[in-house]
Amino acid sequence: MDLERRRLLAGAAYSVGGLVLPGQRWWDEAPQRAKSRSAATSRRVGAAEVSAVREMTEFFSRRDQRHGGMDGRTALYQYLVDDVARYVGGVFTSDDTRRALLAAASEAVYVAGWMSFDASHHEGARRYFTMALKLAAEADDAPLAGHILRAMAHQATDLGHPRAAVDLATASVERKRYTLATPRERALLGVVQARSLAADGQKRAAIAALLRAEDDLAAADADDDDPSRVWFFQRASLAHETARTLWTLGDLDGALREFNNSVLTRKADTFSRTHAVTLGYMGTVQARKGNVEAACHTWAQALDAMEGVQSGRAREAAVNMRRVLSPFRNRGISVAAEIDERAKAVLERVA
């Protein structure tokens, strides 16, 4: 893991070739490979270590949602190197503990990948996701593997690689990755698959995936034994991804409606980063529909939400504001000039 971290810091370009998934035999044999691997350290690993990794992972996940992935990720990376790596190579008190620790380590590495993705360190994120996926396979945790594949599909879609994204999203809902997942996690997998299908031009399949995701979230219950990794996925999240899917399909009215639903149903203080990004997208749709004044009003809220947020995706939203407003820069439109200046100040702060 230390070697992997040094490679990540080299800043290599995002590798689409690195998204090729191993065959089914590899997945089937991964748990046994982990079980037969010799310990690398004498550290005894039990329930306390599993709990510690899970607690730290949840802390960073919640911090990421509020402050963005650019803030604090170095601390998580160091925790992976200094502590998690020793646990993974330790002596386990039982097979159940070994699987639990590998799953916990997988989620910690996944969060490091997600924070890198949000910080726009895309090749680093891909490598962390790949490492997390291997750990999930060794833990024999199919829903966790599906969750990570979903994140990889999300990233590939955002970076303009729809074919690879469809392959990853399809893999995320195959076999036990979907069937063993809770309804809430199924909805998350499905809505990301919908957006990848839309980006690939598969409109009918995308709409079908959206409808299935809506049904899955509707079936979710407060008494479900949801994994902690899906704590963030609520109606606001589904509406956000649905809006992005409809936008990709050319339905601007539908996208605007769903972005608005997302804004209205989200706990903005807890999800500051995502709230700012949603408002940024919403303003862009309003501008595309010709309502620049409404867009500027929405962008003002987005810029307010960016206070205290260190996020590459939030930064991209500010860049996009300035790009869309560039034709109005010298026309004496005060509201456009104000947003342009505020977005410029955000970019200087988050440089």
Side-chain angles (χ1 to χ4, degrees):
M1 292 179 75
D2 188 43
L3 175 62
E4 182 67 15
R5 181 170 184 270
R6 290 199 295 272
R7 289 174 178 168
L8 287 168
L9 294 176
Y14 181 74
S15 171
V16 181
L19 299 177
V20 177
L21 295 172
Q24 191 55 50
R25 181 176 178 181
W26 180 92
W27 291 96
D28 293 340
E29 294 177 351
Q32 185 58 42
R33 286 197 303 271
K35 186 176 182 179
S36 60
R37 188 165 53 230
S38 300
T41 73
S42 58
R43 173 65 187 258
R44 287 188 62 78
V45 179
E49 286 73 20
V50 174
S51 179
V53 175
R54 288 175 174 165
E55 181 179 328
M56 191 68 80
T57 300
E58 184 172 354
F59 169 79
F60 278 104
S61 178
R62 290 182 180 273
R63 183 176 179 82
D64 166 71
Q65 285 287 348
R66 186 165 188 176
H67 297 289
M70 296 174 71
D71 184 58
R73 69 187 187 282
T74 302
L76 176 55
Y77 299 162
Q78 201 60 52
Y79 176 67
L80 293 175
V81 172
D82 291 344
D83 295 288
V84 177
R86 289 190 300 118
Y87 298 157
V88 169
V91 179
F92 299 102
T93 56
S94 69
D95 278 346
D96 286 344
T97 300
R98 176 182 54 77
R99 286 191 294 271
L101 189 282
L102 289 173
S106 173
E107 291 198 42
V109 175
Y110 156 76
V111 171
W114 188 262
M115 293 178 75
S116 295
F117 168 43
D118 186 63
S120 301
H121 291 192
H122 289 298
E123 175 60 8
R126 184 199 65 77
R127 291 178 176 176
Y128 273 117
F129 287 151
T130 299
M131 186 191 300
L133 192 62
K134 292 177 179 178
L135 288 165
E138 291 190 349
D140 200 17
D141 191 328
L144 175 56
H147 188 84
I148 297 162
L149 287 164
R150 176 274 320 173
M152 297 172 76
H154 187 142
Q155 182 187 31
T157 302
D158 279 9
L159 295 181
H161 304 289
R163 187 63 258 167
V166 168
D167 290 343
L168 290 163
T170 299
S172 78
V173 296
E174 286 180 338
R175 304 181 74 187
K176 294 180 180 180
R177 296 167 198 147
Y178 179 85
T179 59
L180 293 184
T182 64
R184 187 175 308 279
E185 190 157 40
R186 290 179 185 178
L188 173 57
L189 301 182
V191 77
V192 172
Q193 183 185 32
R195 193 159 73 84
S196 71
L197 290 164
D200 196 45
Q202 301 184 48
K203 181 176 182 179
R204 183 175 298 179
I207 295 298
L210 277 182
L211 293 173
R212 185 173 64 250
E214 290 177 3
D215 289 343
D216 280 334
L217 190 58
D221 189 272
D223 294 330
D224 290 342
D225 189 21
D226 283 318
S228 60
R229 61 180 174 266
V230 296
W231 70 274
F232 68 92
F233 192 74
Q234 308 291 336
R235 295 299 310 179
S237 303
L238 180 66
H240 172 98
E241 293 299 337
T242 298
R244 295 197 69 188
T245 302
L246 295 175
W247 184 2
T248 301
L249 294 174
D251 181 1
L252 297 186
D253 289 334
L256 188 56
R257 180 189 67 247
E258 292 300 326
F259 277 135
N260 189 56
N261 286 340
S262 182
V263 168
L264 292 175
T265 55
R266 179 178 293 112
K267 295 179 180 178
D269 290 343
T270 303
F271 302 99
S272 302
R273 186 267 316 283
T274 306
H275 192 61
V277 172
T278 301
L279 287 164
Y281 288 142
M282 183 174 169
T284 300
V285 173
Q286 289 170 322
R288 290 210 178 171
K289 287 175 63 62
N291 197 339
V292 176
E293 185 174 340
C296 287
H297 176 72
T298 300
W299 284 334
Q301 296 176 67
L303 292 166
D304 289 342
M306 288 181 196
E307 187 66 33
V309 172
Q310 297 286 324
S311 162
R313 284 185 288 168
R315 188 181 191 282
E316 288 168 12
V319 167
N320 188 60
M321 291 175 201
R322 301 203 73 208
R323 183 184 300 117
V324 174
L325 290 173
S326 61
F328 304 92
R329 197 158 285 154
N330 300 313
R331 295 188 184 181
I333 303 174
S334 59
V335 66
E338 179 185 348
I339 295 302
D340 190 46
E341 284 301 312
R342 287 189 62 191
K344 181 180 178 182
V346 166
L347 292 175
E348 291 171 351
R349 174 171 57 82
V350 191

